[in-house]
Amino acid sequence: VSCPSTSDCMIVGTTTSSTPEAATTTDGGKRWTHLKLPNVAVVGLSGVHCTSTKTCYATGDAGSSGAGMLFVTTNFGTAWTTHSLPTVGALTFSSPSAVACTTGSACFIVGQASDSVLGIVSGVIVEAVTSGAGGSTVTFTNVTPSTISATTLNAISCPTKTECITVGQAVNNADGPQGYFMNGHPSVWTGYLNHIKTRSLSGVSCLPAAPTKCYISAGPATGAGAGAGIGLLPAAFTASTSYIAAKLP
């Protein structure tokens, strides 16, 4: 869900028949309008970010059928343009998880790319810059670090034009999957494992008024306390980030 104002929100997801779904409200959620979406090969919408009460970006998961999609609207869902996500190296970017924008026309898309034949999966970050009427043209740039060890990236938050953080899951050493996240300036990303043993990091939200304060959802934990969710609060966008951890009720 993305709410560019106190009364306007767009929500996206997947129906029980594995088709994309989206709806908007302009009165703070009292009434919702279902949106007509383009007939493209996606099984659902996985993320949305509205940069204004008119312009929104949504990501579509293609499942195993091919490349995922970027949906762009400049009239709050009345009409959409669609763009196939690019390959990342030799991998197909079929499963975008989330999108976050730093300006009205520049966004970052995160998720998982894969090669089904070789059985390779990797978390990826792609920058999308739109132009033209209705977002008719998109320039994609792969900004995934070459040293990335994440198998997937689940969420992203960009509290300022130059700072973003994305979280996900990595497979590392004998501890198995752990939370993994990256932070940094657009196109310059630094990655590192968090210091709390979890199976994955699932969500992140940073406060624009205090961009170095971010809330991250994680879990369930591995080892002691397994099955309990964990909340993390990074103190700054640095490699020496500290955390306050709290088990969710």
Side-chain angles (χ1 to χ4, degrees), residues 1-2 4 7-12 21-36 48 50 53-54 56 73 75-78 80:
V1 61
S2 181
S7 57
D8 299 276
C9 297
M10 181 178 291
I11 189 168
V12 302
E21 181 73 88
T24 56
T25 180
T26 57
D27 58 10
K30 295 177 183 178
R31 293 179 296 273
W32 291 85
T33 300
H34 288 275
L35 303 178
K36 182 178 181 180
V48 63
C50 296
T53 56
K54 297 293 185 182
C56 299
T73 179
N75 48 27
F76 211 44
T78 301
W80 298 83

Side-chain angles (χ1 to χ4, degrees), residues 147-249:
T147 56
I148 193 169
S149 62
T151 57
T152 187
L153 294 171
N154 297 320
I156 182 171
S157 180
C158 296
T160 73
K161 292 182 180 180
T162 59
E163 294 174 302
C164 300
I165 184 169
T166 179
V167 300
Q169 176 176 317
V171 177
N172 183 60
N173 61 49
D175 290 330
Q178 293 186 1
Y180 177 94
F181 67 94
M182 292 178 291
N183 61 38
H185 183 281
S187 300
V188 182
W189 295 78
T190 302
Y192 50 94
L193 287 167
N194 76 75
H195 304 295
I196 298 177
K197 295 178 181 179
T198 68
R199 294 195 177 99
S200 70
L201 298 177
S202 55
V204 58
S205 180
C206 302
L207 306 178
T212 59
K213 301 293 185 181
C214 303
Y215 293 88
I216 301 173
S217 56
T222 60
I230 296 176
L232 303 178
L233 177 60
F237 280 85
T238 67
S240 60
T241 292
S242 60
Y243 308 88
I244 300 171
K247 291 184 179 180
L248 299 177

Side-chain angles (χ1 to χ4, degrees), residues 18-152:
S18 296
T19 58
E21 181 73 88
T24 56
T25 180
T26 57
D27 58 10
K30 295 177 183 178
R31 293 179 296 273
W32 291 85
T33 300
H34 288 275
L35 303 178
K36 182 178 181 180
L37 297 168
N39 185 19
V40 293
V42 295
V43 298
L45 296 181
S46 52
V48 63
H49 187 134
C50 296
T51 59
S52 71
T53 56
K54 297 293 185 182
T55 301
C56 299
Y57 300 83
T59 49
D61 190 331
S64 59
S65 63
M69 304 289 292
L70 175 65
F71 293 69
V72 184
T73 179
T74 56
N75 48 27
F76 211 44
T78 301
W80 298 83
T81 59
T82 58
H83 308 271
S84 295
L85 298 180
T87 57
V88 178
L91 304 181
T92 301
F93 193 179
S94 59
S95 299
S97 301
V99 56
C101 302
T102 53
T103 69
S105 60
C107 305
F108 289 98
I109 304 167
V110 299
Q112 183 182 79
S114 62
D115 184 320
S116 59
V117 176
L118 298 178
I120 299 173
V121 295
S122 176
V124 291
I125 310 170
V126 169
E127 183 179 21
V129 178
T130 60
S131 60
S136 58
T137 302
V138 176
T139 300
F140 291 108
T141 304
N142 173 29
V143 295
T144 309
S146 59
T147 56
I148 193 169
S149 62
T151 57
T152 187

